[in-house]
Amino acid sequence: MALSLGLLGIVTRDMAASLRFYRSLGVAIDDGQDDAPHVEARLDDGTLLAWDTVETVRSFDPGYVPPTGGHHVAFAFDAGSPAGVDATYAAMVAAGHTGHRAPWDAFWGQRYAVLLDPDGNAIDLYAALDAG
């Protein structure tokens, strides 16, 4: 039996803040869902990204405790070019979102930067150094 990844889920303490962050990043999320217990958005590549509030998760897992001690998941978004990494990082920080690591040229051949979403998840931005 072959498995295929169908959904990436984020558990959030603040749905509105999380959706605002991902909208700023360019994820097309329908309006009017800031108070919803569960939200889904399909990325351009077909990946389904979903959010559940802590309360939603506790409705089927009453003992759920949000993780602590740093991020527990990281999403990496291809920004298309090194300049795209720099511009996206700068725009997100200027919009009030948390920058964790400013853009740098990584030894593995990519321009890289790290943001944190409102729940502390690492959101990586990258592009091949020769893509541009």
Side-chain angles (χ1 to χ4, degrees), residues 2 6 13 20-21 25 34 41 46 55 70 72 77 80 82-83 85 87 89 91 93-94 96 103-105 129-130:
R13 293 176 181 90
R20 186 170 41 258
F21 173 89
L25 197 56
D34 289 357
E55 295 77 18
H72 293 268
F77 291 91
V85 171
Y89 183 88
V93 170
W104 82 97
D105 291 343
L129 285 171
D130 61 2

Side-chain angles (χ1 to χ4, degrees), residues 19-75:
L19 297 182
R20 186 170 41 258
F21 173 89
Y22 286 92
R23 284 183 182 117
S24 293
L25 197 56
V27 177
I29 303 166
D30 292 339
D31 291 332
Q33 299 193 80
D34 289 357
D35 295 323
H38 175 85
V39 175
E40 295 181 1
R42 191 160 305 275
L43 302 178
D44 290 342
D45 68 359
T47 303
L48 192 60
L49 191 57
W51 296 259
D52 288 299
T53 62
V54 170
E55 295 77 18
T56 298
V57 173
R58 285 185 179 146
S59 74
F60 59 84
D61 182 2
Y64 175 78
V65 176
T68 60
H71 75 273
H72 293 268
V73 64
F75 299 121

